[in-house]
C-alpha cells in the first residue's frame, strides 16, 4: 500500500508541476494587470498545435523551443490590440473579454487544424518507463519535470535579477509609483503578458506529449490552474508554485482511495483553504477588495 | 501536414437531384404543385462543437450523402429530402433539447436524428416520443436508449454495451483469462463495463478488477499503475473519444502494451488517427470499418463517395449517419406514408439493402426494441496502413449480429404504442 | 418619481413580452425560445441583484439554480406530481443552500469570493453526477413532466400548451421583478448600493456589511432557484450541467451584456444571448467564434451593456 501511495504522490508532484507551470503564467498576468485570462487554455492549445505543425521541419526539440515564443508573440499582439483597453476597469470585463477570446480560439483552432485529434509524437526514447524497477515513472514525465523546473528557475531569475523582472515585481506592488519613476508601464504590461503566455505555450507543448491534441485540450487544464492560484494565494508566485504541486499531490492521493473524486477534490481543497485561511496559503494579508 | 476538414454541409441545404429523375416522368404530364413540392424535412440534432465535433461532423457527412442519393432516385414519396442541421453542442443537453423542440415544433420536421452523446440521445428520444416524431439515434450507445428507456418513436443504429460485450467476450478470453477493466465513470462507461463483465464471465474469463475514472481525466498514471499491479492478462480500456486517446497514449508510455495485452471494445478510426503511431496497438471492436474485401457490395461506392466529399475515408460514424437517413427513406417509401405510427411499424424488421448496409450479412431493426442488429468487426490496430495511410485497423473476424444481441427480455424494453 | 417618459422603456418592454407568443413566429422565433429567454432572464436578474446592485461577483449561482431545478424535478418524480409542490420544494432547496453557503463565505471578497462560489457549485455538480440512483447522474433526471395546474375552477394546462407555460413564466418573472425592485427601493436596498459604491464607508456609516451581503446573497439565491424550477419545467429534464460554473458564467455574461447597473439589463442580455446562440448556431458551425467576437466587441466598445449604451445616448 505504501508503495502505491508513494508512486501516486510522485506522479502527483509531476502533474502538479505541470499545473504550476500553467498557473504561474496566469498568476503573472493576474498580479500585474489584474486580468483573469480565461483564454489561457486557448494559448496553451495554440502552443501545442504550433509545435505539431513545426515538427516535420524542425523536429520535436525545435517545436519545444520555438512554439512557445511564437505563442508569446501572438499573446503580445492580443494584449496590445484588445486587453490594453480594459486596464483600470472592473476585472470582470477582462474576464468577459478573455472568455470571448477563448471561444474564438476554439473555433479558430478547429478551422485551422480540424476538429479531430491530431497525432503528436514525442521521441521514442522518452516514451517508455525509466526502468523495470522504476516502472511507475516514464521518461517523458521526468523530462516534463525537468523542463518545468528549468522554466520556473528561469522565471525566478528573470524576476529577481533582470531589470524587466524587478520592474514587474515593483509594478505588482505599486504600479503608479513605478510609472512615476519613469518606466513605460504599457510596455511593461505587454511584456509581462507575453511572459505569461510563453509559459502557457510551453505548457501546451508539454501537454501534447501526454494528451490527445484537439482544440479542447486546454479546457480541462484551466480550472486546476485557477485553483492552484487560489490555494497558493493571490499575488504570490511561490504560493502559486506550491499551490500547483499541492493540488497535484492531492489528486494523486485521492486517486488511490476514492478515484471517482479525483476531479472534485481540488475544489474541496480550495473551499477548505479559503474558509480556514481566506487569502490562500501564502497570499497577502487582509485585502478587502 | 495540416489537414483541412472541409464541411460541405450547410443549414437548410437543399439537395438537388443529380440526375433528372426518370421516375418523375411516370407522373402526370403536368407539374405536381403544392404537396409534391414541399420537401420532406429531416432534423439533425448532433454535436458540431466541443469534444464530439469530429464524430458529429462525420455522421453528418454520411447523412448528406444518403440524402443526395435518395433525391437522385426520386426522394421520399416523390418529394425531395431536406436536412435541417442544428448544433446540439457536445455537453449542453438543454441546448440539445431546445434544438430538438425547435426542429419539431418550429421547423416542422417529419423525422429527427440525434445524438452522438448518450445523455443527449436519451433526452432527445423523450422529446421525440412526447411530440410523436420518428427518431433514430445515430451514435448514443447507452443501453437504456433501446432498453428500459425505449420509446416507440426511437430506433438505434449503433450497438449497446451488452451487444459489444457479447461480441468481444470470446475473442478476449481466447487471448487471456484474467481481465482488468478501466472505464469512464458515467452511464455509458458503466454499461460497457457491465456488458463485458457479464459476457466475459460466461465465456470463462475472470474480471480481476474494474476501475472507473472521471470523464476528462488528464493523468492516467494512478489508474494504469493500479491496473498493472493487479497482474491481468488483458487490460481492457473502455474509454472513448479524447479519454481513449489520453489513456492509450499514456498506457503505451508506461510500457503496458509490452507487459500485457491491451484491448477494449468499441474503438473508432477518429481515435486511432489521433494517436501517435506507436500507440496504435491493441485488440478492438469496430462497429463498421471501411477496408473490407472487394466482394462486399456497397462498400467501394460508399468509400469512394465519402472520399470525394470529405477527403477522408468513412468511419463507423459516417456509416451510422448514412444508414439512418436511408432507413427513414426506406421505411416511409415502404409504408407509403409519413404518419409516425406507420413509419415506425415499417422500420420494425426493416432490412437494410446491400448498398446501404455496406457489410457482410443483412442488418435489420429488431421489432421488439428497435435496435439495429448489424455485424461488427473484431481485429487489431496497426501503426501504419500498408496500402493506405488511413488503414489503421486489421479485421480478424466479422461477427454477425444475431449471435451477440441479447434477448429482448434482458434489455428491459417495453414499447408502448399510442392506442 | 419617474416621469411617464422614463417609464416608456419598461412599458414597451412589457408590452412586447406580453404579446410575444403572437408576434414571435413572424420573426422566425417560437414560443419555447421566448420562454427560455424569460427563465434565463430571471436567473440573470437574480445574479445581478448581487453583482450590479451589491457589487459582489458570484460565479457559482448555478448551484442554487441547479438546486431549484433538481428540487422541483425530484419532488414531482418521487413525492407527488404537482407543479406547485415542485416550485415549493425547489425554491426551498435553493434558498436554504444559499443561506448555508452564504454564511460560510461572506467574509471573503473579490476574486476569492468568486472562486469559492465556483468551488461549491462544482461540489454540487459532482454530487449530482455521481448519485446516479437519485439524480440519474449524467443522463439527467428523467421520467417526469411538469404537471398542469389545477386551481379547482380552472385547469391551466402548462404541460401541453406552450403558450400557457410561457405566461406562467412571465407571471413569475413579473412578480420576481416587482419584488426585487421593491427591495432595491427600500432602505435595505439603498444600503446595498452603499456597499457597492464604497464598502469601507458603508461600514463606518454603521451598516452591518457582512449581514447585508449575506441577505443579498440569499435573496439572489431565492430568485435563482425559482428560475431553476422553471428551467427544469421548460425541458421536463434536468442534468448536472445546471450546476456547472459555465452555467453560472452564462448568467454573469447576460447581466454584463445587457448592462449590470440597470435593472432590466439582464433581461435584455438574456434575450440577446439566447437569441444569438439559437440563430447563429443554425446558420454556421463556427457560431462560437461569432459569439466570442460579439463578447469581445461588446466589452471593448460597449462596456456598460446594451442598456448602458442606450442610456448614454438619452443623456447626451
Amino acid at each position: 500500500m505504501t508503495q502505491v501511495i508513494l508512486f501516486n504522490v510522485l506522479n502527483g508532484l509531476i502533474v502538479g508541476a505541470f499545473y504550476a507551470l500553467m498557473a504561474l503564467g496566469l498568476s503573472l498576468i493576474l498580479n500585474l494587470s489584474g486580468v483573469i485570462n480565461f483564454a489561457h487554455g486557448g494559448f496553451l492549445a495554440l502552443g501545442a498545435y504550433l509545435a505539431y505543425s513545426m515538427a516535420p521541419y524542425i523536429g520535436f526539440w525545435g517545436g519545444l523551443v520555438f512554439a512557445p515564443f511564437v505563442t508569446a508573440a501572438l499573446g503580445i499582439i492580443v494584449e496590445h490590440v484588445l486587453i490594453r483597453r480594459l486596464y483600470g476597469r472592473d476585472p470582470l470585463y477582462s474576464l468577459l473579454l478573455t472568455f470571448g477570446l477563448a471561444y474564438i480560439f476554439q473555433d479558430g483552432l478547429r478551422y485551422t487544424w480540424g476538429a479531430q485529434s491530431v497525432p503528436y509524437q514525442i521521441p521514442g526514447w522518452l516514451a517508455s518507463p525509466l526502468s523495470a524497477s522504476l516502472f511507475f515513472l516514464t521518461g517523458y514525465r521526468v523530462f516534463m519535470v525537468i523542463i518545468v523546473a528549468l522554466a520556473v528557475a528561469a522565471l525566478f531569475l528573470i524576476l529577481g535579477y533582470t531589470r524587466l523582472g524587478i520592474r514587474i515585481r515593483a509594478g505588482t506592488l505599486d504600479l503608479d509609483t513605478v510609472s512615476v519613476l519613469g518606466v513605460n508601464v504599457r510596455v511593461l504590461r505587454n511584456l509581462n503578458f507575453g511572459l505569461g503566455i510563453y509559459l502557457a505555450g510551453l505548457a501546451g507543448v508539454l501537454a501534447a506529449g501526454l494528451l490527445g491534441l484537439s482544440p479542447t485540450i486546454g479546457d480541462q487544464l484551466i480550472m486546476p490552474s485557477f485553483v492552484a492560484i487560489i490555494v497558493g494565494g493571490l499575488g504570490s508566485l511561490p504560493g502559486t508554485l506550491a499551490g500547483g504541486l499541492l493540488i497535484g499531490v492531492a489528486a494523486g492521493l485521492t486517486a488511490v482511495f476514492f478515484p471517482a473524486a479525483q476531479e472534485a477534490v481540488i475544489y474541496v481543497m480550495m473551499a477548505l483553504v479559503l474558509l480556514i485561511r481566506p487569502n490562500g496559503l501564502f497570499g497577502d494579508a487582509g485585502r478587502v477588495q | 501536414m495540416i489537414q483541412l476538414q472541409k464541411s460541405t454541409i450547410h443549414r437548410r441545404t437543399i439537395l438537388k437531384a443529380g440526375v433528372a429523375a426518370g421516375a418523375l416522368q411516370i407522373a402526370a404530364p403536368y407539374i405536381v404543385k403544392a404537396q409534391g413540392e414541399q420537401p420532406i424535412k429531416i432534423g439533425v440534432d448532433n454535436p458540431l462543437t466541443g469534444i464530439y465535433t469530429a464524430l458529429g461532423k462525420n455522421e453528418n457527412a454520411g447523412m448528406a450523402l444518403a440524402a443526395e442519393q435518395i433525391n437522385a432516385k426520386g426522394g421520399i414519396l416523390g418529394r425531395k429530402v431536406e436536412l435541417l442541421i442544428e448544433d446540439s453542442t457536445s455537453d449542453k443537453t438543454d441546448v440539445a433539447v431546445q434544438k430538438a423542440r425547435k426542429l419539431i415544433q418550429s421547423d416542422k420536421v417529419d423525422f429527427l436524428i440525434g445524438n452522438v452523446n448518450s445523455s443527449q440521445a436519451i433526452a432527445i428520444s423523450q422529446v421525440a416520443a412526447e411530440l410523436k416524431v420518428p427518431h433514430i439515434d445515430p451514435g448514443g450507445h447507452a443501453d437504456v436508449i433501446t432498453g428500459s428507456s425505449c420509446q416507440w418513436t426511437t430506433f438505434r443504429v449503433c450497438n449497446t454495451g451488452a451487444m459489444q460485450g457479447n461480441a468481444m467476450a470470446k475473442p478476449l478470453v481466447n487471448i487471456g483469462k484474467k481481465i482488468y477493466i478501466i472505464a469512464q465513470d458515467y452511464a455509458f462507461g458503466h454499461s460497457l463495463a457491465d456488458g463485458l463483465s457479464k459476457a466475459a464471465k460466461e465465456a470463462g474469463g475472470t474480471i480481476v478488477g474494474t476501475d472507473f475514472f472521471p470523464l476528462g481525466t488528464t493523468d492516467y498514471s494512478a489508474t494504469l499503475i493500479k491496473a498493472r499491479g493487479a497482474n491481468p492478462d488483458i487490460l481492457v480500456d473502455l474509454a472513448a473519444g479524447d479519454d481513449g486517446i489520453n489513456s492509450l497514449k499514456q498506457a503505451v508510455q508506461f510500457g503496458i502494451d509490452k507487459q500485457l495485452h491491451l484491448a477494449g471494445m468499441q474503438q473508432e478510426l477518429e481515435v486511432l488517427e489521433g494517436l501517435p503511431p506507436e500507440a496504435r496497438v491493441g485488440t478492438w471492436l469496430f462497429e463498421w470499418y471501411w477496408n473490407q474485401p472487394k466482394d462486399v457490395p456497397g462498400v467501394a461506392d460508399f468509400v469512394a463517395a465519402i472520399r470525394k466529399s470529405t477527403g477522408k475515408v468513412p468511419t463507423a460514424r459516417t456509416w451510422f449517419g448514412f444508414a439512418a437517413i436511408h432507413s427513414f427513406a426506406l421505411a416511409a417509401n415502404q409504408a407509403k406514408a409519413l404518419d409516425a405510427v406507420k413509419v415506425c411499424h415499417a422500420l420494425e424488421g426493416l432490412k437494410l439493402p446491400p448498398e446501404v448496409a455496406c457489410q457482410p450479412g443483412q442488418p435489420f431493426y429488431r421489432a421488439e426494441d428497435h435496435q439495429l442488429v448489424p455485424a461488427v468487426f473484431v481485429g487489431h490496430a496497426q501503426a501504419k496502413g500498408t496500402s493506405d495511410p488511413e488503414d489503421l485497423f486489421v479485421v480478424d473476424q466479422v461477427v454477425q449480429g444475431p449471435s451477440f444481441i441479447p434477448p429482448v427480455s434482458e434489455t428491459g424494453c417495453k414499447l408502448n404504442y399510442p392506442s | 418619481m419617474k416621469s411617464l417618459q422614463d417609464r416608456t422603456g419598461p412599458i414597451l418592454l412589457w408590452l412586447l413580452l406580453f404579446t410575444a407568443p403572437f408576434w414571435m413566429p413572424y420573426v422566425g422565433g417560437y414560443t419555447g425560445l421566448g420562454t427560455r429567454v424569460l427563465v434565463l432572464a430571471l436567473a440573470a436578474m437574480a445574479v445581478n441583484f448581487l453583482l450590479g446592485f451589491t457589487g459582489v461577483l458570484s460565479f457559482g449561482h448555478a448551484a442554487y439554480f441547479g438546486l431549484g431545478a433538481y428540487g422541483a424535478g425530484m419532488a414531482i418524480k418521487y413525492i407527488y406530481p404537482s407543479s406547485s409542490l415542485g416550485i415549493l420544494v425547489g425554491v426551498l432547496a435553493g434558498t436554504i443552500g444559499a443561506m448555508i453557503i452564504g454564511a460560510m463565505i461572506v467574509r471573503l471578497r473579490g476574486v476569492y469570493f468568486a472562486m469559492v462560489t465556483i468551488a461549491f457549485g462544482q461540489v454540487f455538480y459532482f454530487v449530482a453526477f455521481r448519485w446516479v440512483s437519485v439524480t440519474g447522474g449524467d443522463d439527467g433526471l428523467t421520467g417526469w413532466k411538469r404537471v398542469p395546474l389545477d386551481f379547482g375552477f380552472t385547469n391551466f394546462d402548462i404541460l401541453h400548451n406552450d403558450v400557457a407555460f410561457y405566461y406562467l413564466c412571465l407571471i413569475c418573472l413579473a412578480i420576481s421583478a416587482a419584488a426585487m425592485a421593491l427591495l432595491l427601493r427600500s432602505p435595505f436596498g439603498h444600503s446595498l448600493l452603499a456597499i457597492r459604491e464604497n464598502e469601507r464607508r458603508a461600514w463606518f456609516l454603521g451598516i452591518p456589511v457582512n449581514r447585508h451581503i449575506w441577505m443579498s446573497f440569499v435573496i439572489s439565491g431565492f430568485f435563482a432557484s425559482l428560475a431553476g424550477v422553471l428551467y427544469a419545467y421548460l425541458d421536463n429534464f434536468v442534468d448536472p450541467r445546471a450546476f456547472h460554473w459555465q452555467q453560472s458564467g452564462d448568467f454573469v455574461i447576460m447581466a454584463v451584456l445587457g448592462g449590470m447597473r440597470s435593472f432590466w439589463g439582464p433581461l435584455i442580455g438574456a434575450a440577446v444571448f439566447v437569441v444569438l446562440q439559437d440563430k447563429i448556431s443554425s446558420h454556421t458551425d463556427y457560431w462560437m467564434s461569432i459569439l466570442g467576437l460579439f463578447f469581445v466587441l461588446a466589452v471593448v466598445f460597449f462596456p456598460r451593456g446594451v442598456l448602458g449604451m442606450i442610456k448614454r445616448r438619452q443623456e447626451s
Side-chain angles (χ1 to χ4, degrees):
Chain A
M1 192 41 140
T2 35
Q3 233 191 10
V4 174
I5 296 180
L6 185 66
F7 296 163
N8 282 303
V9 167
L10 270 169
N11 267 307
L13 277 172
I14 294 174
V15 173
F18 175 78
Y19 286 149
L21 185 66
M22 244 196 116
L24 280 170
L26 263 176
S27 199
L28 267 177
I29 296 172
L30 182 59
N31 292 344
L32 183 65
S33 313
V35 172
I36 302 176
N37 185 17
F38 257 103
H40 214 72
F43 283 110
L44 182 149
L46 180 67
Y49 271 111
L50 284 173
Y52 168 75
S53 290
M54 289 182 191
Y57 306 104
I58 53 180
F60 169 77
W61 302 100
L64 183 65
V65 169
F66 288 111
F69 281 112
V70 178
T71 316
L74 183 68
I76 287 181
I77 297 175
V78 166
E79 194 274 351
H80 186 90
V81 171
L82 289 172
I83 301 184
R84 176 169 293 203
R85 301 162 189 261
L86 299 180
Y87 294 140
R89 291 210 215 140
D90 200 309
L92 184 59
Y93 291 110
S94 61
L95 193 151
L96 266 178
L97 177 80
T98 54
F99 204 84
L101 278 177
Y103 273 17
I104 296 178
F105 260 116
Q106 212 193 86
D107 261 2
L109 290 171
R110 197 158 357 113
Y111 183 76
T112 318
W113 280 281
Q116 198 170 302
S117 295
V118 292
Y120 183 70
Q121 252 179 307
I122 57 177
W125 57 274
L126 280 179
S128 45
L130 276 187
S131 71
S133 45
L134 292 171
F135 63 89
F136 53 93
L137 284 177
T138 67
Y140 190 71
R141 285 168 189 253
V142 174
F143 169 72
M144 251 177 55
V145 172
I146 295 175
I147 297 289
V148 172
L150 285 174
V152 171
L155 178 68
F156 281 108
L157 282 175
I158 291 176
L159 288 176
Y161 297 104
T162 66
R163 226 187 301 176
L164 172 69
I166 294 175
R167 285 174 182 173
I168 290 177
R169 284 194 320 179
T172 318
L173 291 171
D174 190 338
L175 197 58
D176 288 328
T177 308
V178 169
S179 167
V180 161
L181 285 174
V183 173
N184 187 336
V185 167
R186 276 204 191 156
V187 171
L188 188 65
R189 279 180 155 147
N190 194 305
L191 289 176
N192 179 59
F193 192 85
L195 187 58
I197 298 298
Y198 176 87
L199 293 175
L202 182 63
V205 180
L206 289 177
L210 218 54
L211 304 174
L213 180 50
S214 73
T216 53
I217 187 178
D219 294 358
Q220 299 300 133
L221 302 166
I222 197 165
M223 257 300 147
S225 312
F226 277 120
V227 174
I229 297 179
I230 297 289
V231 166
L234 268 184
S236 161
L237 285 182
T240 304
L241 180 60
L245 293 173
L246 211 63
I247 63 174
V249 172
L253 279 175
T254 315
V256 180
F257 299 107
F258 190 9
Q262 259 176 298
E263 207 184 280
V265 75
I266 61 175
Y267 295 107
V268 172
M269 258 187 80
M270 172 166 82
L272 279 174
V273 166
L274 283 178
L275 294 176
I276 300 173
R277 226 188 119 76
N279 288 308
L281 294 174
F282 302 95
D284 358 29
R287 252 211 245 162
V288 175
Q289 291 181 350
Chain B
M1 288 310 290
I2 298 175
Q3 290 259 26
L4 284 175
Q5 177 109 355
K6 278 212 151 77
S7 172
T8 56
I9 304 158
H10 304 283
R11 165 89 163 119
R12 299 186 189 279
T13 302
I14 298 182
L15 298 161
K16 304 212 187 308
V19 175
L24 288 178
Q25 301 309 320
I26 303 172
Y30 57 88
I31 300 168
V32 178
K33 286 209 197 297
Q35 185 65 7
E37 281 182 3
Q38 281 287 331
I40 304 238
K41 297 186 254 194
I42 305 186
V44 179
D45 190 9
N46 237 1
L48 297 174
T49 52
I51 54 176
Y52 296 128
T53 309
L55 304 179
K57 287 198 169 179
N58 283 342
E59 292 197 355
N60 288 11
M63 292 186 223
L65 176 66
E68 212 178 279
Q69 291 180 344
I70 292 166
N71 285 339
K73 292 215 185 92
I76 298 180
L77 303 174
R79 294 157 61 179
K80 291 240 177 51
V81 171
E82 186 184 327
L83 295 182
L84 269 47
I85 316 274
E86 290 281 359
D87 178 14
S88 67
T89 73
S90 296
D91 57 349
K92 298 185 190 156
T93 308
D94 57 317
V95 173
V97 170
Q98 175 192 341
K99 296 290 186 175
R101 296 196 102 94
K102 176 187 182 186
L103 284 166
I104 296 176
Q105 296 178 307
S106 182
D107 298 320
K108 309 252 186 288
V109 296
D110 299 292
F111 307 125
L112 186 65
I113 298 201
N115 188 289
V116 166
N117 176 330
S118 285
S119 312
Q120 296 189 2
I122 294 174
I124 291 173
S125 132
Q126 287 216 307
V127 173
E130 180 194 321
L131 301 172
K132 302 195 178 34
V133 173
H135 160 242
I136 293 186
D137 168 13
H141 290 76
D143 289 23
V144 295
I145 296 172
T146 47
S148 51
S149 300
C150 67
Q151 310 279 359
W152 66 271
T153 39
T154 294
F155 291 77
R156 168 157 50 183
V157 183
C158 58
N159 298 278
T160 66
M163 288 163 78
Q164 294 184 34
N166 291 344
M168 271 312 258
K170 275 234 196 57
L172 285 180
V173 172
N174 283 342
I175 298 174
K177 294 261 183 302
K178 294 192 289 180
I179 297 177
Y180 190 98
I181 299 177
I182 66 174
Q184 294 158 301
D185 190 11
Y186 73 130
F188 173 48
H190 281 271
S191 77
L192 278 180
D194 291 341
L196 182 61
S197 295
K198 183 161 171 283
K201 283 190 201 132
E202 279 168 18
T206 15
I207 310 291
V208 296
T210 313
D211 199 11
F212 294 97
F213 52 83
L215 275 174
T217 298
T218 46
D219 176 38
Y220 290 89
S221 54
T223 315
L224 292 170
I225 293 173
K226 201 162 156 195
R228 195 181 170 285
N231 239 331
D233 297 320
I234 311 178
L235 173 61
V236 167
D237 182 357
L238 297 177
D242 283 344
D243 289 347
I245 296 180
N246 296 346
S247 54
L248 275 176
K249 205 163 168 171
Q250 293 178 28
V252 169
Q253 283 179 5
F254 275 106
I256 294 198
D257 57 322
K258 309 238 175 1
Q259 295 145 6
L260 38 91
H261 206 96
L262 270 177
M265 297 206 289
Q266 173 193 338
Q267 188 52 277
E268 314 210 52
L269 194 57
E270 290 89 344
V271 168
L272 291 183
E273 283 182 332
L275 285 167
E278 67 270 9
R280 293 176 188 150
V281 295
T283 306
W284 309 99
L285 179 157
F286 263 66
E287 297 180 84
W288 185 89
Y289 193 58
W290 68 273
N291 192 2
Q292 298 185 43
K294 294 216 187 345
D295 57 352
V296 181
V299 179
D301 293 335
F302 180 53
V303 173
I306 293 292
R307 266 202 150 120
K308 191 146 163 250
S309 67
T310 66
K312 307 187 83 177
V313 296
T315 67
R317 299 281 173 177
T318 325
W319 182 76
F320 290 151
F322 180 74
I325 299 285
H326 270 297
S327 300
F328 274 137
L330 291 163
N333 282 332
Q334 184 184 311
K336 298 204 192 356
L338 291 177
D339 168 64
V341 174
K342 296 205 176 108
V343 169
C344 289
H345 277 308
L347 274 170
E348 289 171 349
L350 182 83
K351 296 199 179 74
L352 297 182
E355 66 272 11
V356 173
C358 300
Q359 57 191 268
Q362 195 164 44
F364 65 95
Y365 288 97
R366 189 158 72 171
E368 292 85 353
D369 60 356
H370 295 180
Q371 173 65 48
L372 185 73
V373 187
V376 293
F377 302 77
V378 177
H380 59 276
Q382 59 178 4
K384 231 193 241 187
T386 39
S387 54
D388 189 302
E390 290 195 80
D391 189 15
L392 302 176
F393 184 68
V394 177
V395 179
D396 295 323
Q397 58 174 158
V398 179
V399 188
Q400 288 293 341
S403 71
F404 60 77
I405 187 164
V408 185
S409 49
E410 280 178 20
T411 65
C413 174
K414 288 219 164 37
L415 293 174
N416 293 313
Y417 272 86
S419 47
Chain C
M1 280 296 286
K2 280 210 189 135
S3 68
L4 193 62
Q5 210 174 356
D6 283 335
R7 287 187 188 280
T8 42
I11 290 178
L12 193 63
L13 181 68
W14 280 92
L15 213 65
L16 279 175
L17 288 177
F18 205 72
T19 55
F22 304 106
W23 56 259
M24 280 193 82
Y26 294 106
V27 293
Y30 50 103
T31 309
L33 190 66
T35 321
R36 190 168 296 270
V37 170
L38 293 181
V39 171
L40 294 178
L42 180 57
M45 286 177 81
V47 170
N48 200 38
F49 191 86
L50 198 58
L51 173 64
F53 293 101
T54 318
V56 172
L57 171 60
S58 164
F59 235 91
H61 255 56
Y64 319 108
F65 183 78
L67 279 172
Y70 271 98
M74 281 164 45
I76 293 185
K77 185 169 182 184
Y78 297 125
I79 304 180
Y80 182 75
S82 151
S83 290
S84 322
L85 180 68
I87 294 179
L88 196 67
V89 172
V91 170
L92 212 62
T95 311
I96 292 179
M99 286 167 76
I100 298 176
I101 293 175
M104 288 203 270
I105 67 177
V106 80
R107 290 178 304 155
L108 301 167
R109 291 292 182 274
V111 119
Y112 288 112
F113 184 90
M115 293 300 288
V116 84
T117 57
I118 295 184
F120 280 107
Q122 290 303 104
V123 170
F124 281 115
Y125 174 82
F126 174 71
V127 170
F129 198 94
R130 290 279 306 158
W131 204 2
V132 181
S133 49
V134 167
T135 65
D138 189 50
D139 288 343
L141 195 69
T142 54
W144 60 277
K145 296 195 185 37
R146 61 183 182 262
V147 182
L149 295 172
D150 191 358
F151 292 116
F153 54 90
T154 178
N155 199 331
F156 202 40
D157 186 2
I158 55 173
L159 172 58
H160 296 110
N161 191 336
D162 264 6
V163 176
F165 186 62
Y166 174 86
Y167 282 114
L168 176 69
C169 294
L170 190 60
I171 293 171
C172 288
L173 180 65
I175 298 177
S176 305
M180 281 194 254
L182 276 172
L183 280 167
L184 285 172
R185 262 177 244 256
S186 70
F188 169 69
H190 286 140
S191 76
L192 294 180
L193 289 174
I195 293 173
R196 179 189 80 190
E197 290 306 317
N198 189 326
E199 194 180 314
R200 203 173 269 181
R201 192 183 293 171
W203 203 297
F204 282 132
L205 284 173
I207 295 176
V209 171
N210 279 359
R211 179 143 50 96
H212 280 208
I213 290 182
W214 177 78
M215 285 165 68
S216 174
F217 192 84
V218 172
I219 292 169
S220 114
F222 173 88
F223 289 113
S225 59
L226 178 60
V229 171
L230 294 174
Y231 176 78
Y233 284 177
L234 178 62
D235 292 329
N236 292 323
F237 175 86
V238 60
D239 74 338
R241 207 195 159 264
F243 285 118
H244 203 269
W245 65 266
Q246 282 179 340
Q247 181 74 287
S248 301
D250 286 350
F251 299 150
V252 174
I253 288 176
M254 291 177 212
V256 175
L257 271 185
M260 311 193 269
R261 290 301 167 93
S262 89
F263 189 73
W264 299 111
L267 174 58
I268 307 289
V272 170
F273 186 86
V274 171
V275 171
L276 259 186
Q277 197 181 49
D278 189 71
K279 286 286 152 220
I280 298 180
S281 64
S282 301
H283 287 277
T284 167
D285 292 349
Y286 295 105
W287 58 270
M288 281 184 89
S289 46
I290 295 183
L291 206 63
L293 193 64
F294 185 80
F295 291 164
V296 168
L297 292 174
V299 165
V300 171
F301 295 115
F302 306 115
R304 284 161 74 205
V306 173
L307 282 193
M309 186 178 67
I310 294 179
K311 255 194 210 148
R312 207 190 304 172
R313 214 171 274 170
Q314 276 182 339
E315 281 157 21
S316 61

